[in-house]
Amino acid sequence: MINTGIAQVNYVDSLKQALSNTAEESSRAKILVQLAETFDSLDRVESIKYYSEALLLEKDKYSRAVINDKIGLGNWRLGYFQEAIGYFNKALVQFIELNDSTWLGKVNNNIAAINWVIGNRNEALK
């Protein structure tokens, strides 16, 4: 367990170093997503922070939609249901524009699950 923790710290440090040495926005966005993914199980608030920074830099519509979904998941896990629904709705619009039926199913399922949890049964069933 200790070795895993040390390896993770080293990985985070190397990503932060790469971020400080990278000027190109799409590359920075990819590094920020890697940082967010690394922090997802350690510190969800930090994870959301990195995803949010990546969202500001990312130009690719598909990547932006996935990031919105990830921020939605992070907020859901933190219990911020309305914020999560907001990000899921952004992702939903983007995946509709991309005509991506797989992601549409995933995002709609997430929206339904949150609505079910907070007692909006009719909204969940839609």
Side-chain angles (χ1 to χ4, degrees), residues 12-39:
V12 167
D13 287 345
S14 68
L15 288 172
K16 287 181 178 180
Q17 181 68 31
L19 186 63
S20 68
N21 293 324
T22 304
E24 202 270 313
E25 286 187 353
S26 67
S27 297
R28 289 180 60 79
K30 286 176 183 29
I31 295 168
L32 287 163
V33 166
Q34 289 176 304
L35 280 164
E37 290 170 346
T38 302
F39 276 95

PDB file of all heavy atoms in Angstrom, residues 12-39:
ATOM      1  N   VAL A  12       1.685  11.968  -9.898  1.00  0.00           N
ATOM      2  CA  VAL A  12       1.073  13.309  -9.819  1.00  0.00           C
ATOM      3  C   VAL A  12       2.141  14.377 -10.003  1.00  0.00           C
ATOM      4  O   VAL A  12       1.946  15.335 -10.751  1.00  0.00           O
ATOM      5  CB  VAL A  12       0.319  13.493  -8.480  1.00  0.00           C
ATOM      6  CG1 VAL A  12      -0.039  14.952  -8.246  1.00  0.00           C
ATOM      7  CG2 VAL A  12      -0.925  12.621  -8.450  1.00  0.00           C
ATOM      8  N   ASP A  13       3.277  14.205  -9.337  1.00  0.00           N
ATOM      9  CA  ASP A  13       4.373  15.174  -9.479  1.00  0.00           C
ATOM     10  C   ASP A  13       4.854  15.266 -10.922  1.00  0.00           C
ATOM     11  O   ASP A  13       5.103  16.363 -11.431  1.00  0.00           O
ATOM     12  CB  ASP A  13       5.549  14.814  -8.564  1.00  0.00           C
ATOM     13  CG  ASP A  13       5.258  15.090  -7.094  1.00  0.00           C
ATOM     14  OD1 ASP A  13       4.282  15.822  -6.791  1.00  0.00           O
ATOM     15  OD2 ASP A  13       6.000  14.557  -6.241  1.00  0.00           O
ATOM     16  N   SER A  14       4.957  14.118 -11.592  1.00  0.00           N
ATOM     17  CA  SER A  14       5.422  14.135 -12.984  1.00  0.00           C
ATOM     18  C   SER A  14       4.388  14.799 -13.893  1.00  0.00           C
ATOM     19  O   SER A  14       4.746  15.530 -14.822  1.00  0.00           O
ATOM     20  CB  SER A  14       5.776  12.734 -13.481  1.00  0.00           C
ATOM     21  OG  SER A  14       4.630  11.928 -13.601  1.00  0.00           O
ATOM     22  N   LEU A  15       3.099  14.577 -13.616  1.00  0.00           N
ATOM     23  CA  LEU A  15       2.059  15.247 -14.406  1.00  0.00           C
ATOM     24  C   LEU A  15       2.083  16.759 -14.176  1.00  0.00           C
ATOM     25  O   LEU A  15       1.955  17.539 -15.126  1.00  0.00           O
ATOM     26  CB  LEU A  15       0.674  14.691 -14.065  1.00  0.00           C
ATOM     27  CG  LEU A  15       0.358  13.291 -14.574  1.00  0.00           C
ATOM     28  CD1 LEU A  15      -0.963  12.795 -13.994  1.00  0.00           C
ATOM     29  CD2 LEU A  15       0.318  13.256 -16.092  1.00  0.00           C
ATOM     30  N   LYS A  16       2.257  17.174 -12.932  1.00  0.00           N
ATOM     31  CA  LYS A  16       2.320  18.609 -12.631  1.00  0.00           C
ATOM     32  C   LYS A  16       3.537  19.251 -13.299  1.00  0.00           C
ATOM     33  O   LYS A  16       3.464  20.372 -13.788  1.00  0.00           O
ATOM     34  CB  LYS A  16       2.330  18.845 -11.123  1.00  0.00           C
ATOM     35  CG  LYS A  16       0.984  18.594 -10.486  1.00  0.00           C
ATOM     36  CD  LYS A  16       1.019  18.857  -8.988  1.00  0.00           C
ATOM     37  CE  LYS A  16      -0.346  18.643  -8.370  1.00  0.00           C
ATOM     38  NZ  LYS A  16      -0.324  18.892  -6.904  1.00  0.00           N
ATOM     39  N   GLN A  17       4.643  18.524 -13.312  1.00  0.00           N
ATOM     40  CA  GLN A  17       5.850  19.016 -13.987  1.00  0.00           C
ATOM     41  C   GLN A  17       5.602  19.150 -15.487  1.00  0.00           C
ATOM     42  O   GLN A  17       5.952  20.155 -16.103  1.00  0.00           O
ATOM     43  CB  GLN A  17       7.033  18.062 -13.718  1.00  0.00           C
ATOM     44  CG  GLN A  17       8.335  18.502 -14.349  1.00  0.00           C
ATOM     45  CD  GLN A  17       8.890  19.771 -13.719  1.00  0.00           C
ATOM     46  OE1 GLN A  17       8.695  20.024 -12.548  1.00  0.00           O
ATOM     47  NE2 GLN A  17       9.564  20.569 -14.513  1.00  0.00           N
ATOM     48  N   ALA A  18       4.978  18.130 -16.074  1.00  0.00           N
ATOM     49  CA  ALA A  18       4.667  18.175 -17.506  1.00  0.00           C
ATOM     50  C   ALA A  18       3.725  19.337 -17.806  1.00  0.00           C
ATOM     51  O   ALA A  18       3.887  20.035 -18.809  1.00  0.00           O
ATOM     52  CB  ALA A  18       4.040  16.855 -17.946  1.00  0.00           C
ATOM     53  N   LEU A  19       2.766  19.570 -16.923  1.00  0.00           N
ATOM     54  CA  LEU A  19       1.824  20.670 -17.107  1.00  0.00           C
ATOM     55  C   LEU A  19       2.539  22.009 -17.094  1.00  0.00           C
ATOM     56  O   LEU A  19       2.269  22.877 -17.925  1.00  0.00           O
ATOM     57  CB  LEU A  19       0.755  20.624 -16.007  1.00  0.00           C
ATOM     58  CG  LEU A  19      -0.391  21.606 -16.115  1.00  0.00           C
ATOM     59  CD1 LEU A  19      -1.208  21.350 -17.385  1.00  0.00           C
ATOM     60  CD2 LEU A  19      -1.289  21.498 -14.875  1.00  0.00           C
ATOM     61  N   SER A  20       3.484  22.168 -16.189  1.00  0.00           N
ATOM     62  CA  SER A  20       4.207  23.447 -16.095  1.00  0.00           C
ATOM     63  C   SER A  20       5.139  23.665 -17.292  1.00  0.00           C
ATOM     64  O   SER A  20       5.499  24.806 -17.593  1.00  0.00           O
ATOM     65  CB  SER A  20       4.997  23.536 -14.787  1.00  0.00           C
ATOM     66  OG  SER A  20       6.065  22.620 -14.778  1.00  0.00           O
ATOM     67  N   ASN A  21       5.488  22.590 -17.991  1.00  0.00           N
ATOM     68  CA  ASN A  21       6.381  22.697 -19.150  1.00  0.00           C
ATOM     69  C   ASN A  21       5.647  22.636 -20.483  1.00  0.00           C
ATOM     70  O   ASN A  21       6.285  22.558 -21.526  1.00  0.00           O
ATOM     71  CB  ASN A  21       7.437  21.583 -19.109  1.00  0.00           C
ATOM     72  CG  ASN A  21       8.391  21.743 -17.959  1.00  0.00           C
ATOM     73  OD1 ASN A  21       8.752  22.857 -17.592  1.00  0.00           O
ATOM     74  ND2 ASN A  21       8.791  20.643 -17.361  1.00  0.00           N
ATOM     75  N   THR A  22       4.325  22.644 -20.447  1.00  0.00           N
ATOM     76  CA  THR A  22       3.528  22.507 -21.668  1.00  0.00           C
ATOM     77  C   THR A  22       2.731  23.773 -21.908  1.00  0.00           C
ATOM     78  O   THR A  22       1.988  24.221 -21.032  1.00  0.00           O
ATOM     79  CB  THR A  22       2.567  21.301 -21.559  1.00  0.00           C
ATOM     80  OG1 THR A  22       3.345  20.130 -21.281  1.00  0.00           O
ATOM     81  CG2 THR A  22       1.775  21.102 -22.830  1.00  0.00           C
ATOM     82  N   ALA A  23       2.876  24.330 -23.102  1.00  0.00           N
ATOM     83  CA  ALA A  23       2.164  25.562 -23.430  1.00  0.00           C
ATOM     84  C   ALA A  23       0.928  25.308 -24.295  1.00  0.00           C
ATOM     85  O   ALA A  23      -0.056  26.046 -24.201  1.00  0.00           O
ATOM     86  CB  ALA A  23       3.107  26.537 -24.152  1.00  0.00           C
ATOM     87  N   GLU A  24       0.965  24.274 -25.115  1.00  0.00           N
ATOM     88  CA  GLU A  24      -0.108  24.014 -26.069  1.00  0.00           C
ATOM     89  C   GLU A  24      -1.374  23.575 -25.330  1.00  0.00           C
ATOM     90  O   GLU A  24      -1.348  22.671 -24.506  1.00  0.00           O
ATOM     91  CB  GLU A  24       0.362  22.944 -27.058  1.00  0.00           C
ATOM     92  CG  GLU A  24      -0.376  22.922 -28.373  1.00  0.00           C
ATOM     93  CD  GLU A  24      -1.565  21.998 -28.283  1.00  0.00           C
ATOM     94  OE1 GLU A  24      -1.410  20.885 -27.786  1.00  0.00           O
ATOM     95  OE2 GLU A  24      -2.647  22.414 -28.725  1.00  0.00           O
ATOM     96  N   GLU A  25      -2.503  24.244 -25.619  1.00  0.00           N
ATOM     97  CA  GLU A  25      -3.729  24.069 -24.849  1.00  0.00           C
ATOM     98  C   GLU A  25      -4.292  22.651 -24.874  1.00  0.00           C
ATOM     99  O   GLU A  25      -4.712  22.136 -23.842  1.00  0.00           O
ATOM    100  CB  GLU A  25      -4.798  25.065 -25.300  1.00  0.00           C
ATOM    101  CG  GLU A  25      -4.533  26.464 -24.835  1.00  0.00           C
ATOM    102  CD  GLU A  25      -5.663  27.429 -25.138  1.00  0.00           C
ATOM    103  OE1 GLU A  25      -6.627  27.063 -25.842  1.00  0.00           O
ATOM    104  OE2 GLU A  25      -5.568  28.574 -24.666  1.00  0.00           O
ATOM    105  N   SER A  26      -4.318  22.013 -26.026  1.00  0.00           N
ATOM    106  CA  SER A  26      -4.905  20.667 -26.067  1.00  0.00           C
ATOM    107  C   SER A  26      -4.050  19.673 -25.276  1.00  0.00           C
ATOM    108  O   SER A  26      -4.587  18.769 -24.633  1.00  0.00           O
ATOM    109  CB  SER A  26      -5.118  20.190 -27.500  1.00  0.00           C
ATOM    110  OG  SER A  26      -3.892  19.990 -28.150  1.00  0.00           O
ATOM    111  N   SER A  27      -2.743  19.855 -25.293  1.00  0.00           N
ATOM    112  CA  SER A  27      -1.862  18.994 -24.494  1.00  0.00           C
ATOM    113  C   SER A  27      -2.055  19.258 -23.009  1.00  0.00           C
ATOM    114  O   SER A  27      -2.089  18.326 -22.190  1.00  0.00           O
ATOM    115  CB  SER A  27      -0.400  19.213 -24.873  1.00  0.00           C
ATOM    116  OG  SER A  27      -0.177  18.842 -26.207  1.00  0.00           O
ATOM    117  N   ARG A  28      -2.207  20.525 -22.645  1.00  0.00           N
ATOM    118  CA  ARG A  28      -2.464  20.878 -21.251  1.00  0.00           C
ATOM    119  C   ARG A  28      -3.791  20.266 -20.782  1.00  0.00           C
ATOM    120  O   ARG A  28      -3.885  19.743 -19.675  1.00  0.00           O
ATOM    121  CB  ARG A  28      -2.480  22.393 -21.056  1.00  0.00           C
ATOM    122  CG  ARG A  28      -1.103  23.041 -21.189  1.00  0.00           C
ATOM    123  CD  ARG A  28      -1.149  24.553 -20.986  1.00  0.00           C
ATOM    124  NE  ARG A  28      -1.644  24.946 -19.676  1.00  0.00           N
ATOM    125  CZ  ARG A  28      -0.935  24.939 -18.544  1.00  0.00           C
ATOM    126  NH1 ARG A  28       0.330  24.551 -18.570  1.00  0.00           N
ATOM    127  NH2 ARG A  28      -1.469  25.313 -17.391  1.00  0.00           N
ATOM    128  N   ALA A  29      -4.795  20.326 -21.650  1.00  0.00           N
ATOM    129  CA  ALA A  29      -6.099  19.757 -21.301  1.00  0.00           C
ATOM    130  C   ALA A  29      -5.975  18.262 -21.031  1.00  0.00           C
ATOM    131  O   ALA A  29      -6.553  17.739 -20.068  1.00  0.00           O
ATOM    132  CB  ALA A  29      -7.112  20.022 -22.413  1.00  0.00           C
ATOM    133  N   LYS A  30      -5.217  17.552 -21.852  1.00  0.00           N
ATOM    134  CA  LYS A  30      -5.034  16.108 -21.663  1.00  0.00           C
ATOM    135  C   LYS A  30      -4.325  15.809 -20.337  1.00  0.00           C
ATOM    136  O   LYS A  30      -4.695  14.859 -19.624  1.00  0.00           O
ATOM    137  CB  LYS A  30      -4.266  15.517 -22.840  1.00  0.00           C
ATOM    138  CG  LYS A  30      -5.108  15.408 -24.106  1.00  0.00           C
ATOM    139  CD  LYS A  30      -4.293  14.905 -25.266  1.00  0.00           C
ATOM    140  CE  LYS A  30      -5.035  14.833 -26.568  1.00  0.00           C
ATOM    141  NZ  LYS A  30      -6.110  15.749 -26.825  1.00  0.00           N
ATOM    142  N   ILE A  31      -3.324  16.596 -20.003  1.00  0.00           N
ATOM    143  CA  ILE A  31      -2.615  16.401 -18.730  1.00  0.00           C
ATOM    144  C   ILE A  31      -3.547  16.693 -17.559  1.00  0.00           C
ATOM    145  O   ILE A  31      -3.566  15.955 -16.562  1.00  0.00           O
ATOM    146  CB  ILE A  31      -1.349  17.294 -18.670  1.00  0.00           C
ATOM    147  CG1 ILE A  31      -0.339  16.860 -19.740  1.00  0.00           C
ATOM    148  CG2 ILE A  31      -0.718  17.236 -17.271  1.00  0.00           C
ATOM    149  CD1 ILE A  31       0.804  17.847 -19.954  1.00  0.00           C
ATOM    150  N   LEU A  32      -4.345  17.740 -17.672  1.00  0.00           N
ATOM    151  CA  LEU A  32      -5.303  18.067 -16.609  1.00  0.00           C
ATOM    152  C   LEU A  32      -6.319  16.938 -16.416  1.00  0.00           C
ATOM    153  O   LEU A  32      -6.684  16.616 -15.286  1.00  0.00           O
ATOM    154  CB  LEU A  32      -6.005  19.389 -16.916  1.00  0.00           C
ATOM    155  CG  LEU A  32      -5.133  20.636 -16.741  1.00  0.00           C
ATOM    156  CD1 LEU A  32      -5.754  21.837 -17.453  1.00  0.00           C
ATOM    157  CD2 LEU A  32      -4.910  20.931 -15.263  1.00  0.00           C
ATOM    158  N   VAL A  33      -6.752  16.320 -17.507  1.00  0.00           N
ATOM    159  CA  VAL A  33      -7.673  15.180 -17.398  1.00  0.00           C
ATOM    160  C   VAL A  33      -6.973  14.015 -16.693  1.00  0.00           C
ATOM    161  O   VAL A  33      -7.575  13.351 -15.841  1.00  0.00           O
ATOM    162  CB  VAL A  33      -8.216  14.765 -18.784  1.00  0.00           C
ATOM    163  CG1 VAL A  33      -8.886  13.399 -18.732  1.00  0.00           C
ATOM    164  CG2 VAL A  33      -9.177  15.819 -19.303  1.00  0.00           C
ATOM    165  N   GLN A  34      -5.716  13.776 -17.010  1.00  0.00           N
ATOM    166  CA  GLN A  34      -4.973  12.706 -16.326  1.00  0.00           C
ATOM    167  C   GLN A  34      -4.871  12.994 -14.831  1.00  0.00           C
ATOM    168  O   GLN A  34      -5.027  12.084 -14.005  1.00  0.00           O
ATOM    169  CB  GLN A  34      -3.581  12.547 -16.926  1.00  0.00           C
ATOM    170  CG  GLN A  34      -3.579  11.935 -18.310  1.00  0.00           C
ATOM    171  CD  GLN A  34      -2.180  11.901 -18.897  1.00  0.00           C
ATOM    172  OE1 GLN A  34      -1.513  12.919 -18.999  1.00  0.00           O
ATOM    173  NE2 GLN A  34      -1.751  10.707 -19.274  1.00  0.00           N
ATOM    174  N   LEU A  35      -4.608  14.249 -14.478  1.00  0.00           N
ATOM    175  CA  LEU A  35      -4.565  14.626 -13.061  1.00  0.00           C
ATOM    176  C   LEU A  35      -5.932  14.405 -12.408  1.00  0.00           C
ATOM    177  O   LEU A  35      -6.027  13.859 -11.308  1.00  0.00           O
ATOM    178  CB  LEU A  35      -4.128  16.082 -12.903  1.00  0.00           C
ATOM    179  CG  LEU A  35      -2.636  16.341 -13.001  1.00  0.00           C
ATOM    180  CD1 LEU A  35      -2.350  17.819 -13.234  1.00  0.00           C
ATOM    181  CD2 LEU A  35      -1.941  15.854 -11.733  1.00  0.00           C
ATOM    182  N   ALA A  36      -6.985  14.817 -13.094  1.00  0.00           N
ATOM    183  CA  ALA A  36      -8.336  14.646 -12.559  1.00  0.00           C
ATOM    184  C   ALA A  36      -8.643  13.172 -12.329  1.00  0.00           C
ATOM    185  O   ALA A  36      -9.197  12.800 -11.286  1.00  0.00           O
ATOM    186  CB  ALA A  36      -9.358  15.264 -13.512  1.00  0.00           C
ATOM    187  N   GLU A  37      -8.289  12.329 -13.277  1.00  0.00           N
ATOM    188  CA  GLU A  37      -8.535  10.888 -13.143  1.00  0.00           C
ATOM    189  C   GLU A  37      -7.749  10.300 -11.976  1.00  0.00           C
ATOM    190  O   GLU A  37      -8.241   9.432 -11.262  1.00  0.00           O
ATOM    191  CB  GLU A  37      -8.174  10.167 -14.440  1.00  0.00           C
ATOM    192  CG  GLU A  37      -9.136  10.470 -15.571  1.00  0.00           C
ATOM    193  CD  GLU A  37      -8.673   9.976 -16.933  1.00  0.00           C
ATOM    194  OE1 GLU A  37      -7.475   9.615 -17.077  1.00  0.00           O
ATOM    195  OE2 GLU A  37      -9.498   9.972 -17.853  1.00  0.00           O
ATOM    196  N   THR A  38      -6.533  10.789 -11.774  1.00  0.00           N
ATOM    197  CA  THR A  38      -5.703  10.305 -10.677  1.00  0.00           C
ATOM    198  C   THR A  38      -6.310  10.684  -9.329  1.00  0.00           C
ATOM    199  O   THR A  38      -6.308   9.895  -8.390  1.00  0.00           O
ATOM    200  CB  THR A  38      -4.273  10.881 -10.796  1.00  0.00           C
ATOM    201  OG1 THR A  38      -3.737  10.497 -12.058  1.00  0.00           O
ATOM    202  CG2 THR A  38      -3.385  10.378  -9.686  1.00  0.00           C
ATOM    203  N   PHE A  39      -6.847  11.890  -9.247  1.00  0.00           N
ATOM    204  CA  PHE A  39      -7.422  12.359  -7.992  1.00  0.00           C
ATOM    205  C   PHE A  39      -8.842  11.859  -7.755  1.00  0.00           C
ATOM    206  O   PHE A  39      -9.360  12.010  -6.648  1.00  0.00           O
ATOM    207  CB  PHE A  39      -7.414  13.895  -7.938  1.00  0.00           C
ATOM    208  CG  PHE A  39      -6.113  14.455  -7.465  1.00  0.00           C
ATOM    209  CD1 PHE A  39      -5.150  14.851  -8.374  1.00  0.00           C
ATOM    210  CD2 PHE A  39      -5.841  14.574  -6.117  1.00  0.00           C
ATOM    211  CE1 PHE A  39      -3.939  15.370  -7.945  1.00  0.00           C
ATOM    212  CE2 PHE A  39      -4.634  15.077  -5.673  1.00  0.00           C
ATOM    213  CZ  PHE A  39      -3.678  15.485  -6.590  1.00  0.00           C
TER     214      PHE A  39
END
